[in-house]
Amino acid sequence: MDNKIVDAAVDRVQSLDLSKSVVLFSGGKDSLVTMDIAKRAGLDKAVYLNSELEFSISRKYVREMGEKYNIDHVRPENDFFEFCRRLCPPSKRLKWCCKVIKLGFSMDYCIKNNITHQITGVRAGESKKRSKYKVIDKIPFTTASPKYELFQVNPIVNWTEQDVWDYIIEKNLDYNPLYDYGVNRVGCWCCPFNTRAEWQLARDLETEKVQ
């Protein structure tokens, strides 16, 4: 593991006002590494937005990680299935779920808790859109006071997936056991972008929910 990129990530977190910062922990490998780096930087405060759409294995894992990290568990006020009834189920063309259930609520959480910097495990290599992300990006607000500024901090934005796994192995971190099923990402069992294999996994692991 290249200590230089680790030190750089730690420095990025330490440069923030830690009293007004929080790690957004999704239960995935990237946010796990970010949460561990933040703790090394002096910030032991994370939040997990439990929409109850994640795999049961993931939710159990996050609860267990609370023994090592200070993780605040909160549930979004917006009910996913109620939105599905009123609008439509999310699809590849209309993927409203993340913005309504997670993004909007994470911003609301930050406002209520006087948070100005939310720290994520976003990496540039994940997608074309994320390749344009910077270490620190201002998040545009549409529902809050224009006087309130919220920033997204991505301390491992330039890391590769191999860098992430190398860090996990070197630091002996407990990663989400869902990865042992061969998934590349940890998310909602009902994501419209699921592959055929991921839908089959959802049927196997969340049988009562998948009809």
Side-chain angles (χ1 to χ4, degrees):
M1 184 73 209
D2 188 347
N3 290 328
K4 290 183 179 179
I5 66 170
V6 175
D7 292 341
V10 172
D11 289 343
R12 288 165 181 168
V13 176
Q14 286 181 330
S15 68
L16 307 174
D17 181 348
L18 300 186
S19 67
K20 294 185 176 182
S21 302
V22 68
V23 176
L24 299 186
F25 181 52
S26 68
K29 66 184 187 306
D30 299 331
S31 62
L32 166 64
V33 169
T34 300
M35 184 168 63
D36 192 74
I37 284 175
K39 188 171 183 178
R40 291 183 60 190
L43 175 64
D44 186 20
K45 182 167 62 176
V47 60
Y48 173 66
L49 304 179
N50 180 12
S51 66
E52 297 195 344
L53 298 175
E54 296 82 6
F55 281 87
S56 300
I57 289 176
S58 293
R59 297 200 305 275
K60 181 175 182 292
Y61 163 73
V62 174
R63 289 195 299 271
E64 293 172 347
M65 291 302 286
E67 297 178 3
K68 298 182 178 180
Y69 303 92
N70 179 24
I71 305 173
D72 188 11
H73 292 243
V74 295
R75 289 190 59 185
E77 297 174 0
N78 299 325
D79 182 81
F80 171 76
F81 295 104
E82 180 61 27
F83 270 94
C84 286
R85 287 189 287 270
R86 294 185 179 185
L87 301 174
C88 64
S91 64
K92 291 182 179 180
R93 289 188 176 184
L94 186 60
K95 190 176 182 292
W96 52 262
C97 43
C98 284
K99 291 183 179 179
V100 173
I101 302 298
K102 293 187 176 181
L103 179 60
F105 192 71
S106 69
M107 293 191 293
D108 183 60
Y109 174 88
C110 289
I111 292 174
K112 291 180 179 178
N113 291 277
N114 196 29
I115 299 295
T116 58
H117 291 78
Q118 55 182 32
I119 305 169
T120 80
V122 165
R123 292 185 300 103
E126 292 180 283
S127 67
K128 184 177 180 180
K129 179 180 179 181
R130 294 189 173 189
S131 67
K132 300 177 182 178
Y133 280 40
K134 303 175 183 177
V135 173
I136 298 181
D137 276 314
K138 183 177 179 181
I139 300 176
F141 261 67
T142 57
T143 58
S145 168
K147 295 181 180 180
Y148 187 92
E149 291 186 323
L150 178 62
F151 296 88
Q152 178 173 313
V153 183
N154 312 304
I156 65 168
V157 67
N158 296 320
W159 286 34
T160 66
E161 184 175 8
Q162 188 60 54
D163 290 331
V164 170
W165 282 115
D166 285 347
Y167 184 93
I168 290 173
I169 294 171
E170 183 176 302
K171 304 301 180 183
N172 195 29
L173 302 184
D174 295 323
Y175 62 84
N176 192 324
L178 195 60
Y179 286 112
D180 292 334
Y181 288 86
V183 301
N184 293 319
R185 60 183 178 83
V186 171
C188 302
W189 62 264
C190 54
C191 179
F193 285 94
N194 275 353
T195 63
R196 182 173 297 181
E198 287 170 333
W199 275 117
Q200 184 56 56
L201 181 63
R203 294 187 184 95
D204 293 340
L205 299 181
E206 304 292 337
T207 305
E208 295 182 358
K209 299 175 183 177
V210 182
Q211 302 294 331

